[in-house]
Amino acid sequence: MTLTPAPPAAVVAQTRTAPPRKRSRSRTRFAPYLFVGPAVVLFVLFMLVPIIYAAYLSFTSYKIQGGGILGTKSLVFAGFDNYVSVLTDPALASGFWHLGLYSAIAVPLTLGLALLFALLLDTPGVRATRFGQTAIFIPYAVPGVIAALLWGFMYLPSTSPFSYITKALGWGPIPFLESSGIFGSIANIAVWGGVGFNMIIIYTSLRSIPAEIYEAARIDGANERQIALRVKIPLVIPALLLTGIFSVIGALQLYSEPTTLKPMTDIISQTWVPLMTIYRNAFLTDDLPGAAALSVLLAVGTVALSGLVLWISNRRTKGAQS
């Protein structure tokens, strides 16, 4: 009688543990989808669906059916009529003119001050660096409406401490809320709140530069100012471009500051910037399709401008590398 030898214990153990390995591989395969899934769902619900609905509304118009007080309002297809009406509206051109003047003041000042503060904090031997970072960053944590209210009280001639000093000197109040000073006043609020965020991005980029590069520059006789101008700034250009895109997008979204200051001055109208025109069309004149058309145009313009900046940045980066 021939007896079949029993399988080794290791083979038996491997056979028994095979199913858990398959389950482990299956879990590993689906893990990225589980992590990305919630973000995709939120993006679809709160970004993609509203964009598609706004694009749909921009090609419609209201039509009263039935007549009289019993008539009902319904949406009908209107083609590009809303876009033609929006693009020929003089208020839109005036709004973009105001937006351009504001951006010409706010964007360069925000980037320039953020770069200056980042370079100062990165200078060897500077004390109280953490306090400086916190002090510059804190205004970014203040909501835009609160910041506009705070600065609005400092702009009003009756409550402004700056105008109090100039009036005491016999110079009269500072025209913060007049036509000659309104752009600088609004830009000041945006700069005060935006410098800290951009400074953190640039400062983080500066801290990632290897110290050997600085040591080599010092051995060659470069002082701290020359290192900042010829070494640090060229190496943080990608961070400057990123903050520049953020600043341009933020400028195109100007709304809370002029809306908050509007009750304090007659200079700011309901259509002072494009987003205020969108709000007027949607909620004051009940022209929701017109507001949707202007929203789509503003979104497409913002994406195109951001893409143009990225394209120029990539071309310069490739040119420098070649």
Side-chain angles (χ1 to χ4, degrees):
M1 183 177 179
T2 304
L3 297 177
T4 304
V11 175
V12 174
Q14 185 177 5
T15 305
R16 290 177 179 175
T17 57
R21 288 187 179 180
K22 290 183 178 179
R23 287 198 295 270
S24 177
R25 284 198 296 270
S26 177
R27 290 175 182 175
T28 305
R29 186 186 309 165
F30 288 105
Y33 300 101
L34 292 176
F35 284 111
V36 175
V40 173
V41 171
L42 292 175
F43 174 79
V44 171
L45 288 179
F46 297 106
M47 290 291 293
L48 192 60
V49 171
I51 289 173
I52 294 174
Y53 184 63
Y56 161 74
L57 282 180
S58 67
F59 291 102
T60 62
S61 65
Y62 289 122
K63 182 180 179 181
I64 305 297
Q65 295 178 339
I69 59 174
L70 299 178
T72 58
K73 189 168 60 176
S74 61
L75 287 173
V76 295
F77 181 72
F80 289 93
D81 291 350
N82 292 319
Y83 290 95
V84 175
S85 176
V86 164
L87 292 174
T88 55
D89 185 2
L92 182 64
S94 177
F96 274 110
W97 170 250
H98 295 154
L99 197 61
L101 292 177
Y102 158 80
S103 302
I105 300 172
V107 174
L109 272 179
T110 301
L111 296 181
L113 289 175
L115 177 62
L116 176 63
F117 289 143
L119 290 173
L120 289 176
L121 292 174
D122 191 57
T123 303
V126 173
R127 298 180 178 178
T129 304
R130 292 186 180 276
F131 174 77
Q133 292 178 18
T134 305
I136 299 171
F137 184 76
I138 279 179
Y140 176 73
V142 179
V145 176
I146 303 299
L149 281 174
L150 291 174
W151 281 102
F153 286 117
M154 287 191 278
Y155 290 158
L156 283 173
S158 58
T159 58
S160 171
F162 311 111
S163 293
Y164 175 80
I165 296 174
T166 56
K167 285 190 290 187
L169 295 174
W171 298 341
I174 303 175
F176 287 115
L177 300 177
E178 303 295 331
S179 58
S180 58
I182 191 66
F183 292 102
S185 300
I186 295 178
N188 172 62
I189 301 173
V191 171
W192 181 76
V195 166
F197 174 75
N198 294 288
M199 183 272 295
I200 290 295
I201 295 177
I202 299 172
Y203 180 74
T204 304
S205 180
L206 283 172
R207 300 301 295 175
S208 67
I209 298 175
E212 291 80 5
I213 297 179
Y214 300 149
E215 294 299 328
R218 292 189 183 98
I219 292 173
D220 290 340
N223 55 32
E224 293 302 324
R225 183 180 63 84
Q226 291 171 329
I227 291 174
L229 294 177
R230 299 180 181 179
V231 177
K232 293 183 179 180
I233 293 179
L235 290 177
V236 298
I237 283 180
L240 288 173
L241 289 171
L242 180 65
T243 53
I245 292 174
F246 288 159
S247 299
V248 170
I249 293 175
L252 291 173
Q253 296 175 348
L254 178 67
Y255 176 76
S256 61
E257 289 87 354
T259 303
T260 306
L261 296 180
K262 183 178 177 301
M264 305 178 188
T265 176
D266 297 330
I267 300 299
I268 300 176
S269 65
Q270 291 181 344
T271 59
W272 201 72
V273 288
L275 281 185
M276 294 178 71
T277 304
I278 292 174
Y279 180 86
R280 183 206 61 173
N281 293 344
F283 302 107
L284 300 181
T285 62
D286 198 22
D287 183 14
L288 200 57
L294 182 52
S295 300
V296 172
L297 287 175
L298 194 62
V300 171
T302 303
V303 172
L305 188 59
S306 302
L308 178 64
V309 173
L310 285 175
W311 180 73
I312 295 174
S313 169
N314 291 333
R315 282 183 62 86
R316 288 191 173 185
T317 303
K318 291 179 180 178
Q321 291 176 350
S322 62

